[in-house]
Amino acid sequence: MLQNKLYRGISCALALTVALTIAGTGVSLSHADEELDALEAQVKSSADTYNAAIARQNELESSIAELDARIAEIEAVLPAQQERSDECARALYKYEYDSSSMLMTLLESTSITDMLAVLDSYTWILEYNTQQIKDTAQMQQELKSSRSQLEADK
């Protein structure tokens, strides 16, 4: 009988040890599951951040290509535009400082219609010349801002 009680005591102790071990392992497994979930969330977050960075890189590369093309286009057209602008500036200068010839042309008109036609032509020439100068300045500004944007994107 004593032997039965001893076996029973040993069995109970073993059962208790096994139960405590399993319970402790359950806590560890639960903690491991939580850590695994946290790590999976970090991986997903890192993947999302990576994908966003790749998308931004693609956008910047596209923007850089567009800016390069626009800069090349402006640089191809700008010399001729600058030449036209210079000619227009000279013409405006001549009109401004040689107003006597314009006055003579108006006074030599044979009719009001001729005078208005001369004035209309004079006004058109002034507007055209002024617009050419403005266009050149705008192209130069666009070239400058495109280069600045290109440098910022790179």
Side-chain angles (χ1 to χ4, degrees):
M1 184 129 116
L2 187 57
Q3 217 178 12
N4 279 343
K5 285 185 179 182
L6 184 60
Y7 285 135
R8 200 187 227 174
I10 291 175
S11 297
C12 284
L14 283 175
L16 183 58
T17 303
V18 169
L20 287 175
T21 303
I22 291 173
T25 304
V27 170
S28 295
L29 287 177
S30 172
H31 182 67
D33 285 343
E34 289 173 4
E35 283 187 40
L36 179 63
D37 290 343
L39 290 173
E40 286 175 350
Q42 283 181 337
V43 167
K44 183 180 180 335
S45 174
S46 295
D48 291 344
T49 303
Y50 175 78
N51 290 336
I54 292 298
R56 178 67 177 141
Q57 179 184 7
N58 291 338
E59 289 173 14
L60 286 173
E61 286 173 353
S62 174
S63 175
I64 288 170
E66 289 173 10
L67 286 169
D68 278 337
R70 183 62 184 146
I71 287 170
E73 180 183 331
I74 292 172
E75 286 176 340
V77 173
L78 190 58
Q81 180 64 34
Q82 184 65 50
E83 190 175 313
R84 277 193 302 274
S85 176
D86 293 345
E87 290 171 9
C88 291
R90 282 190 291 277
L92 286 173
Y93 179 80
K94 286 178 185 178
Y95 278 121
E96 184 177 329
Y97 288 101
D98 192 17
S99 58
S100 62
S101 66
M102 179 60 188
L103 182 60
M104 291 302 293
T105 305
L106 284 173
L107 292 175
E108 291 174 356
S109 299
T110 57
S111 68
I112 295 286
T113 307
D114 288 344
M115 185 182 288
L116 291 175
V118 168
L119 279 174
D120 189 41
S121 295
Y122 179 73
T123 303
W124 183 85
I125 290 170
L126 289 177
E127 288 173 357
Y128 174 81
N129 290 340
T130 303
Q131 188 60 47
Q132 289 299 313
I133 294 169
K134 286 180 183 178
D135 289 348
T136 302
Q138 181 182 4
M139 288 177 81
Q140 289 170 338
Q141 180 59 38
E142 185 178 353
L143 181 62
K144 182 180 175 183
S145 66
S146 293
R147 284 181 177 160
S148 297
Q149 183 65 39
L150 181 64
E151 288 301 314
D153 286 351
K154 284 185 177 181

